[in-house]
PDB file of all heavy atoms in Angstrom:
ATOM      1  N   VAL A  27       2.903  -4.599  -5.511  1.00  0.00           N
ATOM      2  CA  VAL A  27       2.838  -5.858  -4.881  1.00  0.00           C
ATOM      3  C   VAL A  27       3.951  -6.809  -5.550  1.00  0.00           C
ATOM      4  O   VAL A  27       4.654  -7.563  -4.968  1.00  0.00           O
ATOM      5  CB  VAL A  27       1.447  -6.520  -4.847  1.00  0.00           C
ATOM      6  CG1 VAL A  27       1.526  -8.043  -4.580  1.00  0.00           C
ATOM      7  CG2 VAL A  27       0.517  -5.807  -4.005  1.00  0.00           C
ATOM      8  N   LYS A  28       3.878  -6.834  -6.898  1.00  0.00           N
ATOM      9  CA  LYS A  28       4.844  -7.615  -7.628  1.00  0.00           C
ATOM     10  C   LYS A  28       6.304  -7.287  -7.336  1.00  0.00           C
ATOM     11  O   LYS A  28       7.166  -8.125  -7.097  1.00  0.00           O
ATOM     12  CB  LYS A  28       4.632  -7.516  -9.147  1.00  0.00           C
ATOM     13  CG  LYS A  28       3.407  -8.198  -9.593  1.00  0.00           C
ATOM     14  CD  LYS A  28       3.229  -8.013 -11.123  1.00  0.00           C
ATOM     15  CE  LYS A  28       1.975  -8.643 -11.694  1.00  0.00           C
ATOM     16  NZ  LYS A  28       1.828  -8.412 -13.130  1.00  0.00           N
ATOM     17  N   LYS A  29       6.555  -5.994  -7.267  1.00  0.00           N
ATOM     18  CA  LYS A  29       7.945  -5.566  -7.019  1.00  0.00           C
ATOM     19  C   LYS A  29       8.330  -5.850  -5.603  1.00  0.00           C
ATOM     20  O   LYS A  29       9.467  -6.378  -5.359  1.00  0.00           O
ATOM     21  CB  LYS A  29       8.032  -4.003  -7.251  1.00  0.00           C
ATOM     22  CG  LYS A  29       9.475  -3.477  -7.089  1.00  0.00           C
ATOM     23  CD  LYS A  29       9.449  -1.877  -7.362  1.00  0.00           C
ATOM     24  CE  LYS A  29      10.804  -1.342  -7.098  1.00  0.00           C
ATOM     25  NZ  LYS A  29      10.886   0.125  -7.373  1.00  0.00           N
ATOM     26  N   VAL A  30       7.452  -5.569  -4.591  1.00  0.00           N
ATOM     27  CA  VAL A  30       7.873  -5.862  -3.188  1.00  0.00           C
ATOM     28  C   VAL A  30       8.053  -7.335  -2.943  1.00  0.00           C
ATOM     29  O   VAL A  30       8.937  -7.757  -2.269  1.00  0.00           O
ATOM     30  CB  VAL A  30       6.767  -5.280  -2.242  1.00  0.00           C
ATOM     31  CG1 VAL A  30       6.946  -5.667  -0.851  1.00  0.00           C
ATOM     32  CG2 VAL A  30       6.883  -3.732  -2.324  1.00  0.00           C
ATOM     33  N   LEU A  31       7.160  -8.159  -3.593  1.00  0.00           N
ATOM     34  CA  LEU A  31       7.289  -9.602  -3.345  1.00  0.00           C
ATOM     35  C   LEU A  31       8.589 -10.139  -3.964  1.00  0.00           C
ATOM     36  O   LEU A  31       9.238 -10.941  -3.374  1.00  0.00           O
ATOM     37  CB  LEU A  31       6.114 -10.390  -3.950  1.00  0.00           C
ATOM     38  CG  LEU A  31       4.848 -10.350  -3.174  1.00  0.00           C
ATOM     39  CD1 LEU A  31       3.670 -11.017  -3.938  1.00  0.00           C
ATOM     40  CD2 LEU A  31       4.988 -11.034  -1.796  1.00  0.00           C
ATOM     41  N   SER A  32       8.962  -9.624  -5.070  1.00  0.00           N
ATOM     42  CA  SER A  32      10.234 -10.012  -5.780  1.00  0.00           C
ATOM     43  C   SER A  32      11.377  -9.687  -4.909  1.00  0.00           C
ATOM     44  O   SER A  32      12.320 -10.440  -4.673  1.00  0.00           O
ATOM     45  CB  SER A  32      10.253  -9.397  -7.137  1.00  0.00           C
ATOM     46  OG  SER A  32      11.531  -9.677  -7.704  1.00  0.00           O
ATOM     47  N   GLN A  33      11.322  -8.406  -4.364  1.00  0.00           N
ATOM     48  CA  GLN A  33      12.504  -7.912  -3.543  1.00  0.00           C
ATOM     49  C   GLN A  33      12.524  -8.698  -2.237  1.00  0.00           C
ATOM     50  O   GLN A  33      13.617  -9.060  -1.737  1.00  0.00           O
ATOM     51  CB  GLN A  33      12.321  -6.467  -3.154  1.00  0.00           C
ATOM     52  CG  GLN A  33      12.485  -5.537  -4.346  1.00  0.00           C
ATOM     53  CD  GLN A  33      12.151  -4.045  -3.999  1.00  0.00           C
ATOM     54  OE1 GLN A  33      11.586  -3.761  -3.052  1.00  0.00           O
ATOM     55  NE2 GLN A  33      12.525  -3.195  -4.935  1.00  0.00           N
ATOM     56  N   ALA A  34      11.387  -9.118  -1.704  1.00  0.00           N
ATOM     57  CA  ALA A  34      11.336  -9.905  -0.438  1.00  0.00           C
ATOM     58  C   ALA A  34      11.929 -11.325  -0.639  1.00  0.00           C
ATOM     59  O   ALA A  34      12.709 -11.769   0.214  1.00  0.00           O
ATOM     60  CB  ALA A  34       9.977  -9.899   0.103  1.00  0.00           C
ATOM     61  N   ILE A  35      11.611 -11.861  -1.769  1.00  0.00           N
ATOM     62  CA  ILE A  35      12.059 -13.268  -2.061  1.00  0.00           C
ATOM     63  C   ILE A  35      13.615 -13.162  -2.253  1.00  0.00           C
ATOM     64  O   ILE A  35      14.331 -13.988  -1.705  1.00  0.00           O
ATOM     65  CB  ILE A  35      11.385 -13.747  -3.308  1.00  0.00           C
ATOM     66  CG1 ILE A  35       9.881 -14.105  -2.934  1.00  0.00           C
ATOM     67  CG2 ILE A  35      12.139 -15.027  -3.825  1.00  0.00           C
ATOM     68  CD1 ILE A  35       9.064 -14.480  -4.218  1.00  0.00           C
ATOM     69  N   ASP A  36      14.128 -12.214  -2.938  1.00  0.00           N
ATOM     70  CA  ASP A  36      15.523 -12.006  -3.166  1.00  0.00           C
ATOM     71  C   ASP A  36      16.341 -11.743  -1.940  1.00  0.00           C
ATOM     72  O   ASP A  36      17.422 -12.227  -1.765  1.00  0.00           O
ATOM     73  CB  ASP A  36      15.805 -10.843  -4.106  1.00  0.00           C
ATOM     74  CG  ASP A  36      15.403 -11.082  -5.551  1.00  0.00           C
ATOM     75  OD1 ASP A  36      15.189 -12.196  -5.860  1.00  0.00           O
ATOM     76  OD2 ASP A  36      15.313 -10.096  -6.312  1.00  0.00           O
TER      77      ASP A  36
END
Side-chain angles (χ1 to χ4, degrees):
V27 167
K28 288 179 180 179
K29 183 177 179 181
V30 168
L31 283 175
S32 178
Q33 291 174 345
I35 290 167
D36 290 345

